[in-house]
Amino acid sequence: MSLQAEHVRESGGGAGHGAAPGPRPRRGATRRKLFDAAVTLIAEQGFSSTTVDEIADRAGVAKGTVYYNFPSKNVLYEELLRDGIELLADSLHQAAGRTVARGGTRVDALDAMIRAGLDFISRYPALTQLYVAELWRTNRVWQSTLTSVRGRVLTIIESVLRDAVGAGELSDELDIPLTASALFGMVLVAALDWQSYQPHRSVEDVHASLSLLLQGRVSAHG
């Protein structure tokens, strides 16, 4: 399933959710093809080396169709980043909310967010590779967008950490912003290593290992 299609499915959107009649569904399908083609190509060979012609060819559309939907390759990439990380942020938020609603602790909620992150990366490995690669670059025109979407994810993690400290589950000496970044980075790096070098391992196996690390190294009662 494409990134945009997954977002529509999870958010309850679609033609019956305020969409205008006419050609919009067809245009949405074309944009999804372009997103999927772009993220795969850019993850394979880098942003600078990927041309609009290649994106159009991979998506099975005319070059003019790319520019009809996106003014430039930069805009396509920015929207791709924003859409993907928003979907990840929503997944993390929902995972934490469901866990707390069932009576779980805030540390349980963090653990559920780790699993949600692993599931997301397993579903969209090319997008994750692309995001991680761009973290190290500071000369891109979309750097502010990257900073913004990263902040969206970290805000959700920080909120759960803050609640956990308030509930006495975590030490009040915890550096919340740094711990949120560390947890996010742990999932990203561990998942990419898993996908690249240990693909035989199941998501349950990887989650179990990270869960032990969380419970034993972060939890005040570990």
Side-chain angles (χ1 to χ4, degrees), residues 117-192:
L118 291 172
D119 285 337
F120 179 89
I121 293 169
S122 177
R123 190 178 302 141
Y124 306 116
L127 175 67
T128 307
Q129 292 168 12
L130 185 55
Y131 172 78
V132 171
E134 290 301 315
L135 285 177
W136 302 103
R137 298 187 173 97
T138 58
N139 61 340
R140 301 296 203 193
V141 296
W142 54 76
Q143 189 63 36
S144 61
T145 297
L146 189 64
T147 300
S148 175
V149 295
R150 173 182 175 274
R152 166 98 163 92
V153 172
L154 292 182
T155 295
I156 293 171
I157 301 173
E158 288 175 12
S159 177
V160 177
L161 287 169
R162 197 167 287 110
D163 288 344
V165 170
E169 296 176 30
L170 301 179
S171 169
D172 57 9
E173 297 180 355
L174 193 71
D175 184 324
I176 290 176
L178 184 59
T179 302
S181 295
L183 288 172
F184 185 38
M186 175 184 74
V187 174
L188 283 176
V189 174
L192 288 177

